[in-house]
Amino acid sequence: MTNEQLRQVFPDLDLDGFWEDSAYAEETYRGGYPTDELIASVEAEVGFRLPASYVALMRMRNGGMPRNTCCPAPSGTTWAEDHVALTAIMGIGREKECSLAGRSGSRFLVEEWGYPEIGVYFADCPSAGHDMIAFDYRDCGPRGEPRVVHVDQEVDYRITVLAPDFVSFVQALRPESDYDYD
């Protein structure tokens, strides 16, 4: 996918300024560019078709830390009264610890941490695993277009809808300074 095609998927997004460069993100999240074969094998492993918009963004840069890390939430969470924060978006792959099929990826969160099997956990939060952001396939089935939800382990894995799809989620991300109440 060319940058122009990606701009059509994310028309209001500053693609050049979306990602934050950091050694930690490179080491923990960012994998090599995913091939069609890798995408298909990860989808088979997690049991869901990944949203085309997510795949498109990962073909530009396969995981990492976005500059804007806060997403408005319709109700309070254990993080804040009006938003959730994320640390990073997992890339498509297995080689990085925090990639979708990596050692600390989506299946690990379900099997070891007890997260509900609602879809694919693709972004972690600053709570060190106590809340996550996921593609929720409960309403659309494993091949449909999932909504994006926040799952909060601290309150019996409460699920809060953040966006109807991945594009809306990415476009809703705001800088932390928007929520600086001091």
Side-chain angles (χ1 to χ4, degrees), residues 70-90:
C70 295
C71 183
S75 59
T77 68
T78 54
W79 182 258
E81 293 179 8
D82 57 357
H83 72 283
V84 298
L86 66 118
T87 301
I89 297 173
M90 296 179 190

Side-chain angles (χ1 to χ4, degrees), residues 1 13 17 41 157:
M1 177 170 278
L13 185 65
S41 73
Y157 298 99

Side-chain angles (χ1 to χ4, degrees), residues 13-133:
L13 185 65
D14 174 12
L15 293 170
D16 297 325
F18 181 74
W19 298 103
E20 182 73 44
D21 292 325
S22 86
Y24 175 73
E26 288 291 323
E27 181 181 315
T28 309
Y29 296 96
R30 187 174 178 196
Y33 296 104
T35 63
D36 291 341
E37 295 79 17
L38 177 63
I39 293 165
S41 73
V42 168
E43 287 177 332
E45 187 172 324
V46 298
F48 297 92
R49 183 187 57 81
L50 298 171
S53 55
Y54 167 78
V55 171
L57 190 62
M58 293 306 104
R59 287 186 187 270
M60 180 189 116
R61 183 170 183 163
N62 194 18
M65 301 168 78
R67 288 187 193 279
N68 295 331
T69 58
C70 295
C71 183
S75 59
T77 68
T78 54
W79 182 258
E81 293 179 8
D82 57 357
H83 72 283
V84 298
L86 66 118
T87 301
I89 297 173
M90 296 179 190
I92 301 169
R94 292 179 181 83
E95 78 261 12
K96 296 296 180 171
E97 178 178 345
C98 292
S99 53
L100 290 185
R103 193 173 54 144
S104 296
S106 189
R107 293 300 316 152
F108 170 81
L109 293 163
V110 171
E111 293 166 2
E112 298 295 324
W113 278 69
Y115 275 86
E117 293 193 56
I118 60 169
V120 179
Y121 292 87
F122 73 91
D124 60 4
C125 299
S127 65
H130 294 278
D131 60 329
M132 298 294 298
I133 297 173

Side-chain angles (χ1 to χ4, degrees), residues 101-167:
R103 193 173 54 144
S104 296
S106 189
R107 293 300 316 152
F108 170 81
L109 293 163
V110 171
E111 293 166 2
E112 298 295 324
W113 278 69
Y115 275 86
E117 293 193 56
I118 60 169
V120 179
Y121 292 87
F122 73 91
D124 60 4
C125 299
S127 65
H130 294 278
D131 60 329
M132 298 294 298
I133 297 173
F135 294 125
D136 179 2
Y137 290 83
R138 291 176 299 167
D139 290 344
C140 66
R143 302 200 54 74
E145 183 67 25
R147 59 190 178 180
V148 175
V149 299
H150 174 255
V151 182
D152 198 333
Q153 180 194 43
E154 295 298 311
V155 282
D156 199 27
Y157 298 99
R158 181 176 63 210
I159 297 171
T160 303
V161 177
L162 298 176
D165 54 52
F166 184 68
V167 170

